[in-house]
Amino acid sequence: MHRLFILFVVPLLAAAAVSTVGAPAAAHPSKPFPARIALPDGFTPEGLTIGHGTTVYVGSVLDGAVWRGDLRTGRGSVLIPGTPGTAKAGLELDRQGRLWTADFHGGGASVYDPGTGARLAHYQFTGEPGSLVNDLVITKRAVYFTDSTRPVLYVVPLGPGGRLPAPTAFRVLPLTGPGATPDAFNNGIVALPNGDLLVAQMLTGQLVRVDPRTGGSGLFDLGGYSVDRADGLVLRGRTLHVIRNLSNVIAVVRLNGPYTAGVVQREITGPQLRSPATGDLLGSALYVVNGRFDVESTPSTDYDIVRIPA
């Protein structure tokens, strides 16, 4: 019985497999995501974050505009119009779907509705000339911002359910240790699973671990590897991408168990990287925005987002 069953059924399965190859569904495979997405000429991007589905947001360090696009189609438009004299650096979405921005030389941060672009809140951290509120990371209980010219973090606490606090309900957290190194240019920031924060120092070429309660810090051991020009940090699990802008390099680092050190596994480079500023992950791809900091920004300067297998 078993032999007869096999002799009868196997040819049918083989015929079904052959007919499937020519089926209409296989003749129209899903269109791959674009490897490059053009931004408006003259946009001068810096921050990038990926939201719901394939939606991406990019901020302008020139005039504070925010562009919203689709990574699947490559199409998009300006969600938040720019205003002369303002700028936006880091961007991130919180668990409630709100869009937070580091307002760079404006000395503060803003929160927006990612659908309408309406501003929901603003926090003015400092009026000190020269301050650069550069990047941010959102945890369950607070939002932390770096200042590239001051040895501090700005902390906006979140209420129950992520409720936004009053405009003055932030604190300034002074840094001590290597996090307070003069002229280090603290830049990108991520939260480690052990509770520490990891901050990139663009000009020292170091990463530092920061205690978010005390501001105390220590060096993150990279085995002597320099992350000179480190800008954005992207962390997933134990894999850290360090985006080094003017070096045109993305260092892929494997973190150790206690999150105190890492080993550089490889460097990503190539002509598609043009002073990359920061990035974000979607599936198995890293999306990076090219800031083109090595050229003068003009109304006709082209900018883009590039897709890199991660």
Side-chain angles (χ1 to χ4, degrees):
M1 287 292 293
H2 294 296
R3 177 177 175 80
L4 290 174
F5 179 81
I6 292 171
L7 289 174
F8 179 74
V9 173
V10 169
L12 292 179
L13 292 176
V18 171
S19 65
T20 301
V21 173
H28 301 283
S30 297
K31 185 178 179 181
F33 284 26
R36 176 185 181 273
I37 296 174
L39 295 171
D41 286 350
F43 190 76
T44 320
E46 209 283 345
L48 175 149
T49 191
I50 297 173
H52 179 71
T54 56
T55 304
V56 63
Y57 300 85
V58 180
S60 170
V61 79
L62 174 68
D63 62 5
V66 173
W67 181 89
R68 180 179 62 189
D70 189 321
L71 296 173
R72 182 183 297 276
T73 66
R75 296 191 293 269
S77 60
V78 172
L79 170 69
I80 302 172
T83 302
T86 68
K88 287 182 175 59
L91 308 176
E92 189 166 342
L93 288 132
D94 62 19
R95 289 174 173 83
Q96 289 69 38
R98 300 171 302 218
L99 180 66
W100 292 70
T101 68
D103 293 346
F104 208 50
H105 51 64
S110 298
V111 188
Y112 295 90
D113 182 312
T116 66
R119 192 164 80 167
L120 305 176
H122 178 73
Y123 302 92
Q124 189 62 44
F125 302 137
T126 178
E128 183 174 321
S131 289
L132 295 177
V133 182
N134 204 327
D135 207 353
L136 70 146
V137 65
I138 303 174
T139 70
K140 186 176 181 180
R141 297 182 178 179
V143 186
Y144 298 86
F145 296 81
T146 58
D147 188 322
S148 295
T149 62
R150 299 181 67 198
V152 301
L153 295 180
Y154 304 112
V155 186
V156 180
L158 297 174
R163 188 178 66 237
L164 295 175
T168 58
F170 62 86
R171 64 188 178 101
V172 180
L173 178 65
L175 300 178
T176 59
T181 300
D183 302 321
F185 206 89
N186 291 341
N187 202 333
I189 182 171
V190 292
L192 296 171
N194 66 357
D196 284 346
L197 305 174
L198 190 64
V199 175
Q201 294 188 328
M202 194 172 76
L203 299 184
T204 67
Q206 297 175 331
L207 302 179
V208 295
R209 292 180 293 110
V210 176
D211 186 323
R213 299 164 300 173
T214 67
S217 66
L219 289 179
F220 187 84
D221 183 9
L222 290 173
Y225 180 84
S226 172
V227 288
D228 178 57
R229 311 306 302 188
D231 196 334
L233 300 179
V234 183
L235 178 65
R236 177 189 283 173
R238 294 191 181 277
T239 300
L240 176 73
H241 291 83
V242 183
I243 299 170
R244 301 171 52 198
N245 52 35
L246 288 175
S247 300
N248 290 315
V249 168
I250 300 171
V252 183
V253 183
R254 181 66 177 175
L255 308 188
N256 68 357
Y259 299 98
T260 58
V263 175
V264 178
Q265 296 183 314
R266 63 191 177 104
E267 291 183 334
I268 300 170
T269 188
Q272 76 275 28
L273 298 180
R274 301 184 296 167
S275 296
T278 191
D280 203 355
L281 289 160
L282 179 66
S284 60
L286 176 67
Y287 286 88
V288 175
V289 61
N290 281 315
R292 305 201 65 189
F293 303 128
D294 57 338
V295 301
E296 180 182 358
S297 180
T298 71
S300 61
T301 305
D302 72 287
Y303 295 96
D304 59 8
I305 303 167
V306 293
R307 183 178 186 269
I308 299 170

